[in-house]
Amino acid sequence: MALFCSGGFSTSLAAAKVQKYFEQTNRNMTIDAYGYADLNDKAPSADVIVLAPQIRYVYDDVVKEYPDKKVVKLTMQEFGSMDGAIIAGRLAKEGVE
């Protein structure tokens, strides 16, 4: 799973919290954080593309570019919570478990 935002710094923190939640709940999933500039390099190898709210405007373009991938855009509340359980819960609602 790849989580993208505009720069990557805050996304790294969010991804680390989600990864910790995955490990604590014995889920065999990984999530890595990248800046939007890395999207075309990293998205092809990701099963799921997660967009932080800072770049939610690219959602339609990403869905068109990667029609075989699940693309999830987080809300400001979900992302801003920096809570792994909340973000993982959103991913689960989108069928990512």
Side-chain angles (χ1 to χ4, degrees):
M1 200 175 323
L3 172 60
F4 295 93
C5 78
S6 57
F9 179 72
S10 59
T11 305
S12 295
L13 181 59
K17 297 218 176 197
V18 174
Q19 187 63 51
K20 185 175 180 181
Y21 179 79
F22 287 159
E23 292 167 6
Q24 289 173 338
T25 56
N26 297 317
R27 294 181 184 175
N28 188 20
M29 302 169 72
T30 59
I31 186 166
D32 295 306
Y34 305 100
Y36 179 63
D38 295 324
L39 186 97
N40 290 327
D41 290 334
K42 303 298 182 182
S45 61
D47 294 322
V48 178
I49 299 168
V50 184
L51 302 175
Q54 303 97 321
I55 58 168
R56 66 180 173 258
Y57 61 91
V58 301
Y59 176 80
D60 291 340
D61 293 337
V62 173
V63 168
K64 282 182 191 174
E65 184 80 19
Y66 300 99
D68 59 329
K69 310 278 184 189
K70 179 165 278 292
V71 181
V72 177
K73 60 180 173 181
L74 298 175
T75 67
M76 187 60 81
Q77 291 79 19
E78 293 162 342
F79 185 76
S81 73
M82 289 289 162
D83 186 313
I86 290 173
I87 296 171
R90 170 61 191 283
L91 295 171
K93 285 181 184 174
E94 297 290 334
V96 180
E97 297 187 85

